[in-house]
């Protein structure tokens, strides 16, 4: 089970860190997606900080701070629920696979993390 947790956690860390970097540099696709779901440009960096914090927390969870890893996974689950809700509210379904996929990854990391804590 640890191997599955390790793989999913690393993939989730890499994807969230990459998404945070894209937010920090105002990548064109970030600006397009945020405009499509009515997220103000002023929120992009703070949302990137949340993604970066989630990636950092998951990383610390992997290196021996288990409660922080679970907290980070919980935060990412909540974050991506909000992202999916924003897409549904704006009726933007074409690119919802990204927040939906990241939500699924964060949820799997959380479940595997909690399963290991037993």
């Amino acid at each position: 089970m640890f191997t599955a947790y390790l793989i999913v956690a690393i993939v989730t860390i890499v994807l969230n860190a990459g998404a945070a970097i894209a937010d920090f540099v105002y990548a064109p696709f970030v600006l397009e997606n945020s405009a499509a779901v009515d997220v103000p440009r002023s929120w992009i960096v703070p949302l990137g900080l949340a993604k970066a914090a989630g990636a950092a927390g998951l990383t610390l969870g992997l290196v021996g701070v288990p409660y922080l890893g679970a907290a980070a996974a919980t935060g990412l689950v909540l974050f991506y629920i909000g992202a999916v809700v924003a897409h549904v509210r704006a009726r933007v379904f074409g690119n919802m696979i990204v927040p939906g996929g990241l939500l699924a990854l964060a949820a799997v990391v959380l479940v595997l993390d909690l399963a290991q804590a037993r």
Side-chain angles (χ1 to χ4, degrees), residues 30-110:
V30 170
L31 297 176
E32 290 171 16
N33 290 338
S34 63
V37 296
D38 299 322
V39 171
R41 186 178 174 129
S42 63
W43 288 16
I44 293 174
V45 170
L47 292 174
L49 289 170
K51 294 171 193 172
L58 290 178
T59 302
L60 290 171
L62 285 178
V63 298
V65 188
Y67 295 114
L68 187 57
T74 301
L76 286 172
V77 166
L78 295 172
F79 179 90
Y80 286 113
I81 287 173
V84 168
V85 167
H87 278 74
V88 170
R89 216 180 102 223
R91 294 191 169 110
V92 177
F93 303 110
N95 61 358
M96 195 171 5
I97 194 161
V98 174
L102 290 167
L103 170 60
L105 283 171
V108 170
V109 170
L110 178 58

Side-chain angles (χ1 to χ4, degrees), residues 4-44:
Y5 168 69
L6 182 65
I7 291 168
V8 177
I10 289 172
V11 168
T12 305
I13 291 165
V14 169
L15 291 176
N16 277 283
I21 291 167
D23 288 353
F24 297 150
V25 300
Y26 293 103
F29 74 91
V30 170
L31 297 176
E32 290 171 16
N33 290 338
S34 63
V37 296
D38 299 322
V39 171
R41 186 178 174 129
S42 63
W43 288 16
I44 293 174

